Amino acid sequence: MLTELSRLIDVQEIDKVIQEVTQGLTRLPEELKAGEAALEELKAAHAARLQELEDLKAQRRDTETEMADMEESIKNSRQRLMEIKSNIEYKAMLKEIAFKEDQRDQRETRILHFMELMETQNRLIAEQQQQIEELEATLDRQRQEVAVQVKKLQQE
């Protein structure tokens, strides 16, 4: 009876080890998948941020083009100013030039704002890129560890 009890205890220990091995074989790949999902999510956020940066660059270029056109318009208005003979037309042209200069200044302010946003985006992109690289390195290590552990567990 004592030997049978001892064998049952041994069988129970073996069952316990088998259960742990089975759980390990299931758990390890799931943990790896979770890390890969987090990496993909981070890469998607990174791509979205890159797209935002490209949009800001396009808006800045458009605003710079508008500003250059406004500058040309101001230059033409100043040239016409010299040809005006009546006082009323002269005052009207000065108001028009002042308005165009104000518009140009607003565009310059927008360009500066875009540049600040772009600088912030570039900083955040660099941070995200570093996070991606770190996570990829971690996942590579995890993959290697999981492969070793799975092999060990399969042998058990």
Side-chain angles (χ1 to χ4, degrees):
M1 170 116 172
L2 197 54
T3 59
E4 290 175 5
L5 200 53
S6 162
R7 286 183 187 164
L8 283 175
I9 291 174
D10 290 342
V11 169
Q12 187 177 14
E13 289 297 320
I14 291 172
D15 282 345
K16 188 176 178 183
V17 169
I18 290 173
Q19 184 180 10
E20 289 174 3
V21 167
T22 306
Q23 287 176 348
L25 286 171
T26 308
R27 179 182 41 84
L28 291 173
E30 288 175 0
E31 289 175 0
L32 192 58
K33 284 181 185 178
E36 289 172 349
L39 177 63
E40 290 304 315
E41 187 177 310
L42 188 58
K43 283 183 177 181
H46 184 66
R49 193 167 300 280
L50 286 172
Q51 183 59 46
E52 288 177 27
L53 179 62
E54 289 303 315
D55 292 345
L56 286 172
K57 286 179 181 178
Q59 290 175 347
R60 183 181 124 201
R61 281 191 302 272
D62 291 345
T63 305
E64 286 174 343
T65 302
E66 290 173 7
M67 193 174 96
D69 292 344
M70 192 64 64
E71 197 68 48
E72 185 66 29
S73 177
I74 291 170
K75 180 180 172 185
N76 291 338
S77 294
R78 288 184 194 271
Q79 287 176 350
R80 283 186 289 160
L81 189 63
M82 300 302 166
E83 300 168 2
I84 295 176
K85 302 212 189 295
S86 79
N87 199 22
I88 294 174
E89 288 180 47
Y90 187 79
K91 287 181 181 180
M93 186 59 72
L94 286 177
K95 283 184 180 181
E96 181 180 331
I97 290 171
F99 176 75
K100 289 179 182 180
E101 287 175 341
D102 184 50
Q103 294 293 312
R104 180 197 59 204
D105 293 344
Q106 288 177 7
R107 283 171 178 76
E108 283 178 351
T109 302
R110 283 181 56 200
I111 290 171
L112 291 174
H113 178 69
F114 287 138
M115 291 173 77
E116 289 173 1
L117 291 175
M118 288 168 52
E119 185 178 315
T120 301
Q121 289 288 14
N122 282 326
R123 183 179 45 78
L124 294 173
I125 286 169
E127 289 173 4
Q128 275 185 330
Q129 185 63 38
Q130 184 178 0
Q131 288 174 345
I132 288 172
E133 290 169 3
E134 289 172 359
L135 189 54
E136 284 176 339
T138 301
L139 282 175
D140 286 341
R141 283 192 306 276
Q142 268 186 329
R143 283 184 192 106
Q144 293 171 355
E145 291 172 8
V146 165
V148 168
Q149 288 177 354
V150 166
K151 188 175 182 180
K152 179 183 172 189
L153 290 173
Q154 287 174 342
Q155 288 175 351
E156 286 183 26

